[in-house]
């Protein structure tokens, strides 16, 4: 595999798509040795086929705001790869959304979904619509307009969306409701649905819970326990909430959360009341964490700063891509961090990853750590297909098993001669090998 040549071609075809090119390059660097041991991959142009999405749908989303004015947004669905199952992946509503970001997310999703052991291909969608400050009725009208542009491309065996940044249970409900009207079928297409209409128990918690189960497996390889560890979390959305909930339940101390406005340092650690308050802050639609420091004594709000400057045992980026850079990584390493586990997709910049791995601190990539979210989506699809609903215990037990399995795949493919477990390499190779095997089996198409 000639990485420079492949990357040069991609850069020429897709100039300026920096997140997408970044995600592809990381995977190519990880898999090149294994790839080169399989001349049949090269003959079948597996990599060249895998780095391009199967299909991209773009559409105009027109809706009417509360003032009666007409608004236009861009809508997308990137159906990346369905070699191992129907397209599957979330929908993101955020002002920053563009094709590069959705292509990176769809590409990552393909490998992540392969790691879950469940039959799901990779996709991602979204819009540059910003939910910030929008009324509930505006959100509903936008979701319905978004579905008008996308529904024909969806279906339980074709493409099953879910939530991501800016899309939670409410938005999934509004989108699924309109989809159901348009196809005249209640076929379960969408995961993260409400419990009364086919949703799975534990799906809201699953990304954060799964991440903490993964962290437990990592610590076990070091003969350590999570109890008593200090944890820095970024973000204050659904993912950060689930991670804080499980970390606290397991006896760790979560000392930070963050928003676009800055971060909160809470030396006493989060508790049930504070974690509930995170949900309130989120539901307010203002996208700020500052009020937390007014409400709870002993906390400090650091405007415009990131939580990675605090001394902690474990760092869990839970906000968005490239939120932890080289300088942040150096600060964490200098302060003696033992594990940086991405819960956001591609939370670390390439420089940050290099700093962490070179210092032999453990780095675990989002596509392994946060796969519990989409895995539980896969379990929701299974329950819908069987027309039944499992208990929380059953779902949690399956999620546990899946996260342990993903961790083991990383160990199997990522253990280096000196015993260091390179989780990035392990996750990329394990995911790649599964997708490549399926593509080989399905022939050149
Ligand atoms: O990044 C992700 O894995 C998600 N946003 C969840 C995708 C899903 O289909 O549950």
């Amino acid at each position: 595999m000639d990485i420079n040549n492949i990357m040069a071609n991609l850069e020429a075809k897709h100039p300026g798509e920096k997140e997408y090119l970044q995600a592809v390059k990381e995977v190519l660097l990880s898999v090149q040795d294994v790839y080169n041991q399989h001349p049949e991959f090269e003959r079948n142009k597996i990599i060249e086929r895998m780095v391009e999405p199967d299909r991209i749908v773009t559409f105009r989303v027109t809706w009417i705001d509360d003032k009666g004015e007409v608004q236009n947004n861009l809508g997308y669905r990137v159906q990346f790869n369905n070699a191992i199952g129907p397209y599957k992946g979330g929908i993101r509503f955020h002002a920053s959304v563009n094709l590069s970001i959705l292509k990176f997310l769809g590409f990552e999703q393909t490998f992540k979904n392969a790691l879950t052991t469940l039959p799901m291909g990779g996709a991602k969608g979204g819009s540059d619509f910003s939910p910030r400050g929008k009324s509930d009725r505006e959100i509903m009208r936008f979701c319905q307009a978004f579905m008008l542009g996308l529904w024909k491309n969806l279906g339980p065996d074709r493409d099953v969306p879910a939530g991501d940044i800016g899309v939670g249970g409410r938005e999934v409900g509004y989108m699924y409701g309109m989809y159901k009207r348009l196809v005249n079928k209640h076929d379960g297409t969408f995961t993260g649905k409400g419990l009364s209409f086919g949703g799975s128990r534990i799906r809201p918690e699953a990304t954060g819970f799964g991440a903490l189960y993964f962290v437990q497996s990592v610590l076990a390889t070091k003969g350590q326990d999570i109890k008593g560890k200090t944890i820095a979390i970024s973000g204050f959305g659904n993912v950060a909430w689930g991670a804080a909930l499980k970390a606290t339940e397991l006896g760790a101390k979560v000392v930070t959360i963050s928003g676009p406005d800055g971060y909160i340092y809470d030396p006493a650690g989060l508790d049930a009341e504070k974690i509930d308050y995170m949900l309130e802050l989120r539901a307010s639609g203002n996208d700020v964490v500052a009020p937390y420091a007014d409400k709870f004594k002993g906390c400090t709000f650091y405007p415009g700063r990131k939580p990675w400057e605090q001394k902690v045992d474990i760092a869990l980026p839970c906000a968005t891509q490239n939120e932890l850079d080289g300088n942040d990584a150096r600060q964490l390493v200098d302060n003696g961090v033992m594990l940086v586990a991405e819960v956001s997709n591609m939370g670390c910049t390439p420089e940050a990853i290099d700093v962490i791995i070179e210092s032999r601190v453990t780095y675990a990539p989002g596509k392994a750590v946060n796969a519990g979210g989409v895995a539980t989506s896969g379990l929701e699809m299974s329950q819908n297909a069987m027309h039944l609903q499992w208990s929380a215990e059953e779902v949690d037990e399956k999620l546990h098993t899946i996260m342990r399995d993903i961790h083991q795949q990383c160990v199997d493919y990522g253990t280096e001669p000196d015993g260091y477990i390179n989780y990035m390499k392990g996750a990329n190779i394990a995911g790649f090998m599964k997708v490549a095997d399926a593509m080989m089996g399905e022939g050149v198409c």
Side-chain angles (χ1 to χ4, degrees):
M1 180 197 304
D2 183 348
I3 293 187
N4 289 337
N5 194 29
I6 295 174
M7 288 310 300
N9 273 330
L10 279 184
E11 278 160 28
K13 271 195 237 174
H14 309 293
E17 294 189 358
K18 60 182 194 329
E19 294 85 3
Y20 161 64
L21 296 166
Q22 176 188 339
V24 169
K25 190 170 179 184
E26 181 203 293
V27 169
L28 297 190
L29 287 169
S30 289
V31 304
Q32 64 176 331
D33 290 344
V34 176
Y35 194 84
N36 290 335
Q37 289 157 18
H38 290 267
E40 72 278 16
F41 289 165
E42 189 79 47
R43 274 199 306 278
N44 287 280
K45 296 275 192 297
I46 290 290
I47 269 294
E48 288 82 349
R49 288 158 58 200
M50 211 184 271
V51 299
E52 285 291 348
D54 290 349
R55 182 179 304 101
I56 300 175
V57 183
T58 71
F59 48 98
R60 171 176 53 78
V61 186
T62 299
W63 57 284
I64 296 177
D65 69 17
D66 285 347
K67 296 195 207 86
E69 279 173 28
V70 176
Q71 298 286 342
N72 282 301
N73 288 97
L74 301 169
Y76 308 88
R77 185 72 176 166
V78 179
Q79 296 180 329
F80 220 101
N81 186 301
N82 67 354
I84 65 175
Y87 299 112
K88 180 82 196 88
I91 287 185
R92 178 177 293 193
F93 292 162
H94 193 269
S96 65
V97 162
N98 59 36
L99 198 51
S100 169
I101 289 178
L102 295 180
K103 281 171 69 178
F104 118 65
L105 288 165
F107 181 74
E108 292 273 298
Q109 197 80 46
T110 301
F111 301 99
K112 182 199 306 195
N113 293 3
L115 289 172
T116 65
T117 71
L118 302 174
M120 298 181 288
K124 206 83 188 190
S127 174
D128 60 353
F129 169 78
S130 171
R132 191 186 283 182
K134 300 289 192 299
S135 74
D136 184 64
R137 288 301 195 204
E138 287 178 319
I139 298 276
M140 187 194 289
R141 286 196 295 274
F142 177 79
C143 288
Q144 292 175 339
F146 186 85
M147 261 311 99
L148 277 175
L150 187 60
W151 69 279
K152 282 192 178 161
N153 300 285
L154 306 179
D157 303 312
R158 180 172 293 161
D159 185 351
V160 183
D164 193 78
I165 292 171
V167 177
R170 175 180 61 167
E171 291 75 13
V172 165
Y174 291 158
M175 284 192 273
Y176 182 64
M178 185 48 113
Y179 166 84
K180 179 175 69 67
R181 295 278 293 169
L182 291 163
V183 297
N184 192 22
K185 275 184 214 170
H186 198 305
D187 60 12
T189 302
F190 259 99
T191 59
K193 298 184 294 294
L195 274 184
S196 57
F197 52 98
S200 174
R201 295 199 166 79
I202 309 286
R203 178 64 190 88
E205 295 88 348
T207 310
F209 279 21
L212 267 295
Y213 299 154
F214 193 92
V215 166
Q216 282 185 300
S217 294
V218 173
L219 293 180
T221 68
K222 301 173 185 291
Q224 300 239 15
D225 191 84
I226 192 162
K227 208 169 176 224
K229 296 278 187 297
T230 51
I231 301 184
I233 281 182
S234 62
F236 70 114
N238 167 262
V239 171
W241 166 76
L245 208 59
K246 184 54 80 176
T248 308
E249 184 194 314
L250 295 173
K253 189 154 86 165
V254 177
V255 293
T256 67
I257 58 166
S258 76
D261 55 333
Y263 81 94
I264 299 285
Y265 178 61
D266 184 350
L270 270 64
D271 58 22
E273 187 193 352
K274 293 167 173 174
I275 293 170
D276 281 349
Y277 186 64
M278 274 170 82
L279 292 180
E280 261 179 64
L281 277 176
R282 170 63 52 184
S284 79
N286 296 327
D287 217 7
V288 289
V289 292
Y292 183 108
D294 302 327
K295 189 167 166 72
F296 299 108
K297 282 200 182 63
C299 306
T300 313
F301 172 61
Y302 292 92
R305 300 177 73 96
K306 296 192 272 182
W308 319 128
E309 60 190 19
Q310 293 293 338
K311 178 177 165 52
V312 287
D313 300 315
I314 299 168
L316 301 180
C318 295
T320 194
Q321 68 274 355
N322 291 328
E323 56 171 310
L324 196 158
D325 65 19
N327 286 334
D328 300 326
R330 267 183 286 275
Q331 257 179 320
L332 284 166
V333 169
D334 288 349
N335 282 330
V337 76
M338 63 188 296
L339 166 65
V340 180
E342 290 175 348
V343 196
S344 45
N345 291 308
M346 205 166 78
C348 294
T349 64
E351 192 196 348
I353 298 172
D354 285 347
V355 168
I356 300 163
I357 292 181
E358 273 161 26
S359 62
R360 283 334 212 193
V361 165
T362 301
Y363 161 75
K367 61 172 78 72
V369 179
N370 74 28
V374 72
T376 307
S377 282
L379 300 177
E380 182 170 333
M381 290 165 72
S382 307
Q383 292 168 79
N384 291 170
M386 291 189 287
H387 302 284
L388 50 73
Q389 203 164 37
W390 291 326
S391 69
E393 291 70 31
E394 278 176 286
V395 177
D396 197 37
E397 171 68 40
K398 289 181 167 61
L399 172 61
H400 239 119
T401 306
I402 289 169
M403 295 314 297
R404 273 196 293 264
D405 192 303
I406 296 172
H407 180 267
Q408 192 56 46
Q409 294 178 62
C410 294
V411 172
D412 291 347
Y413 283 102
T415 304
E416 297 189 339
D418 65 357
Y420 177 78
I421 304 169
N422 187 329
Y423 286 88
M424 171 178 65
K425 214 169 155 185
N428 285 336
I429 296 174
F432 167 80
M433 288 302 279
K434 180 155 181 192
V435 180
D437 185 68
M439 288 174 70
M440 288 296 298
E442 291 168 9
V444 177
C445 58

